[in-house]
Amino acid sequence: MKRFPFTATVCALALAAAPATWAQAPATPPPADAAPGPEAAPAPEAPQASPEAPAAPAAPAPAAEAQDKPLTAEEMAGTSEVVDARPPPTVRPRIALGNETFYVKPILALAGGVHVENLIQTLNRNRESRATTLALTRFGFEGRLGEYVSFRSEFERNIRAHGSGVWEGTASFSVRDQVIRLQRWNATVEAGIIVDPASVDFISTHVADTLLADKYTRDPLLFSGFNRGQGAQAAYDWNGFRVGFGYTAANPISTSSSYQVGGSFGGGGRFWERPLGNYRNGQPDDDLHFQVFSPSVTYSHALFEAKAMAQVFDVNYQTSSRKDPLLRGNNLRGNVLLKLHANVGIPLFITPFFNVARVQNDVLNNTAGFADQLLSTRYAATSVSAGMDVNVHGRSGVGFQFSRVADRSPGFVAPTGDTPASEPITKTTQFFFNVGGTYWFTEDVAFGARYARYQKKQDRSSDEIDASYFLTLRLLL
């Protein structure tokens, strides 16, 4: 029953699409019996009856068509529709309900296809490779309430592991963007579940065939500090510059930026896993508090784009106690993307990009007898990624990206006899590689093919290596 209102909303918007389209037709259609064949001869008399009539309905049509054109390769360079934080167009799109400035339109993203997983080297040597058919759906609605107010409400049926989530109501749903946006005088204020655009790495658009929901494309974003979550943010745009500030203060699983926090929490789990280890009345543990301040500046030019951001955060590990210390940390990020045009007999649009992020934070001592103490060594991680897209025909083309995440996580060995306490470091390095191609059949439907590879190296542990092959169809409405 909880999912019924969401389904009903989508159905209602779909049914409303036809009337919204009819509303764009001329107000005085020709008689039904004049439509077919030779009997339409008297039609020339119609312009004589009201000579000014054709001009009235024709005026808004070009504006509506201009706003409803598909996104260009230049507009989507280095990003993806699934992390696009731009507001809906100021004029009603083709599929929408309402008038030109007050409207609501459906959101629908579907991805399905085949995923072949090849486990090359794993810690569990008995695990076997497999082929899986995958499915992912995102749905909701967005719109405008006049010139200055817009909104978005989106939900997701998750991709899940190896297709485990559709039979007998076991599908896993999650809430995505839930944002209300105010815009005026080049200023923007947003609140709800929001995406901070400065926190999004530049990516290859041709490897987003599963909507960035698989580990090969999702995890590098999360390690670098991608922030989708509960919060509020404000920004001001001026001559290509955008100065922004975001704020989040909630349970760590309310925001994706908690993924970057390192160290051991609750017996070896990472910070974002800690609330999931203890459920109370069906809800995750509420003893943790995560607070993030995110100033940023970005610049967009016809030839390049650049971003710089600082995420300053603290962690209250036990809100039920005043004795535990705050864990403080920060993440410094930088991103740059070039926009190059070339012609080798056919026009090419080439976008090389580079991203870097450096995070460090305090780590709690989890050893018995050392409660409410911090280690003297901090957790530190560096994320670096780079790649390039080559668009051959509009948004169609090929691209690749490589990501490396290297972290240093401290542990603790208690003193024994004459041996003092020590804080040994465990080094972990993860590599992600993706190369893929996209062909857009229409402005809304694309075919994708991709090869992805992952490798993990960790001290005192065997390497983990796997590769995957994806063939997908996706629809982005």
Side-chain angles (χ1 to χ4, degrees):
M1 290 302 292
K2 291 182 179 179
R3 292 192 294 269
F4 179 75
F6 306 152
T7 307
T9 300
V10 176
C11 293
L13 292 174
L15 292 174
T21 305
W22 301 337
Q24 299 177 7
T28 309
D33 57 357
E39 291 79 10
E45 298 180 3
Q48 300 174 4
S50 54
E52 72 281 4
E65 290 177 3
Q67 291 290 342
D68 199 33
K69 286 183 179 179
L71 294 171
T72 64
E74 285 80 358
E75 290 174 317
M76 297 309 299
T79 186
S80 166
E81 294 86 345
V82 295
V83 289
D84 185 9
R86 292 176 300 180
T90 55
V91 177
R92 184 187 66 195
R94 180 177 66 249
I95 303 177
L97 175 65
N99 59 34
E100 296 305 314
T101 55
F102 285 74
Y103 68 83
V104 60
K105 66 176 287 288
I107 300 168
L108 183 61
L110 299 172
V114 179
H115 169 207
V116 178
E117 181 185 45
N118 180 21
L119 300 178
I120 301 170
Q121 185 171 326
T122 65
L123 297 182
N124 178 1
R125 301 186 182 278
N126 291 318
R127 285 188 60 193
E128 297 181 294
S129 304
R130 69 181 93 176
T132 305
T133 51
L134 56 87
L136 172 68
T137 305
R138 291 171 183 161
F139 59 94
F141 49 87
E142 67 177 354
R144 283 191 169 271
L145 303 176
E147 185 178 356
Y148 307 118
V149 181
S150 60
F151 61 91
R152 181 180 178 93
S153 178
E154 183 184 18
F155 303 88
E156 177 185 285
R157 183 269 168 186
N158 304 141
I159 195 170
R160 303 296 291 167
H162 305 102
S164 57
V166 294
W167 184 250
E168 291 291 337
T170 59
S172 177
F173 281 88
S174 61
V175 180
R176 289 173 59 85
D177 297 347
Q178 304 290 321
V179 57
I180 180 170
R181 180 186 297 108
L182 307 179
Q183 290 178 293
R184 193 171 186 181
W185 301 311
N186 295 331
T188 302
V189 176
E190 296 177 326
I193 299 179
I194 57 180
V195 172
D196 189 333
S199 73
V200 185
D201 282 347
F202 292 120
I203 64 167
S204 166
T205 61
H206 302 298
V207 304
D209 47 357
T210 62
L211 311 184
L212 305 179
D214 61 89
K215 74 174 184 179
Y216 305 98
T217 56
R218 176 199 61 209
D219 287 8
L221 283 175
L222 294 176
F223 278 119
S224 70
F226 169 64
N227 188 6
R228 168 184 272 121
Q230 287 181 204
Q233 63 183 4
Y236 183 78
D237 294 89
W238 177 78
N239 286 349
F241 286 95
R242 179 181 177 87
V243 179
F245 183 83
Y247 177 62
T248 294
N251 190 289
I253 58 174
S254 70
T255 170
S256 62
S257 62
S258 63
Y259 198 91
Q260 64 184 308
V261 181
S264 177
F265 289 83
R270 289 180 64 90
F271 176 55
W272 65 272
E273 298 174 308
R274 173 64 176 79
L276 302 177
N278 184 23
Y279 275 78
R280 301 175 183 177
N281 300 321
Q283 298 296 320
D285 192 348
D286 192 38
D287 278 351
L288 281 80
H289 182 261
F290 184 53
Q291 184 172 237
V292 188
F293 301 88
S294 305
S296 64
V297 60
T298 66
Y299 180 69
S300 181
H301 187 271
L303 299 178
F304 70 94
E305 293 184 24
K307 306 178 185 180
M309 184 183 206
Q311 294 173 317
V312 181
F313 57 85
D314 62 55
V315 176
N316 187 343
Y317 188 68
Q318 295 183 67
T319 58
S320 57
S321 171
R322 295 181 180 272
K323 296 180 179 180
D324 61 305
L326 284 178
L327 281 64
R328 303 185 186 276
N330 62 78
N331 182 26
L332 303 179
R333 300 169 34 86
N335 319 85
V336 64
L337 172 138
L338 302 180
K339 303 176 183 179
L340 310 175
H341 290 271
N343 197 319
V344 291
I346 56 174
L348 301 177
F349 180 51
I350 305 171
T351 55
F353 58 86
F354 177 77
N355 310 291
V356 62
R358 171 71 174 179
V359 61
Q360 54 183 344
N361 60 261
D362 297 328
V363 178
L364 192 71
N365 192 334
N366 289 305
T367 306
F370 295 86
D372 299 329
Q373 295 184 25
L374 298 179
L375 298 181
S376 59
T377 307
R378 307 186 88 195
Y379 169 87
T382 302
S383 299
V384 176
S385 62
M388 183 172 67
D389 273 353
V390 179
N391 289 342
V392 180
H393 178 66
R395 289 187 291 162
S396 299
V398 296
F400 75 92
Q401 69 181 42
F402 170 81
S403 304
R404 178 181 183 271
V405 182
D407 68 63
R408 296 165 52 89
S409 185
F412 182 77
V413 177
T416 56
D418 295 332
T419 305
S422 60
E423 297 182 359
I425 298 292
T426 299
K427 298 179 182 179
T428 303
T429 306
Q430 300 178 77
F431 301 91
F432 304 84
F433 177 74
N434 291 270
V435 57
T438 305
Y439 176 71
W440 287 88
F441 289 102
T442 71
E443 61 189 59
D444 302 313
V445 179
F447 169 78
R450 175 166 54 108
Y451 169 76
R453 185 180 178 91
Y454 169 77
Q455 182 173 1
K456 179 180 179 181
K457 294 178 174 290
Q458 188 173 67
D459 293 345
R460 300 175 295 278
S461 182
S462 300
D463 289 1
E464 299 178 52
I465 309 172
D466 60 68
S468 287
Y469 307 83
F470 296 90
L471 287 174
T472 58
L473 278 174
R474 69 182 182 271
L475 179 149
L476 297 170
L477 185 62

